[in-house]
Amino acid sequence: INIKYDCSQWVRWHPRGHLILAGSEDSTVWMWNADRGVYLNMFAGHNSTVTCGDFTPDGNAFFFFCSEDECMPPICDNICFLR
């Protein structure tokens, strides 16, 4: 799995270890299947760096958001459910 670390803001593992999420400066979030080493999806639509994201503890969903002001807690603006 190739991740551009110079552009990635964060990387998270799924609680069961088979998926990886990475947020980027280019306003995208990428998802890979770690077991197979393959790209699954790219989520776009933000206007700035995706500064944070994670899987829910039960692994059924993930979320990510942008925050220009690091002093203010960001509001979750995307949540996606896994099947």
Side-chain angles (χ1 to χ4, degrees), residues 1-2 4 7 10 22 32 35 43 47 52-55 60 63 68 76:
I1 297 173
N2 294 321
K4 293 181 179 181
C7 296
W10 52 269
W32 293 270
D35 293 339
F43 305 92
N47 294 323
C52 191
D54 208 345
F55 291 97
N60 292 330
F63 58 90
E68 290 299 318
C76 180

Side-chain angles (χ1 to χ4, degrees), residues 9-31:
Q9 292 294 303
W10 52 269
V11 177
R12 299 290 185 270
W13 282 91
H14 188 274
R16 292 182 210 107
H18 64 287
L19 297 176
I20 299 172
L21 278 179
S24 179
E25 295 178 343
D26 70 358
S27 72
T28 61
V29 174
W30 294 74
M31 181 183 282

Side-chain angles (χ1 to χ4, degrees), residues 46 50 52 63-67 74-79:
H46 284 285
V50 180
C52 191
F63 58 90
F64 48 92
F65 48 79
C66 295
S67 174
I75 297 170
C76 180
D77 60 359
N78 289 70
I79 188 159

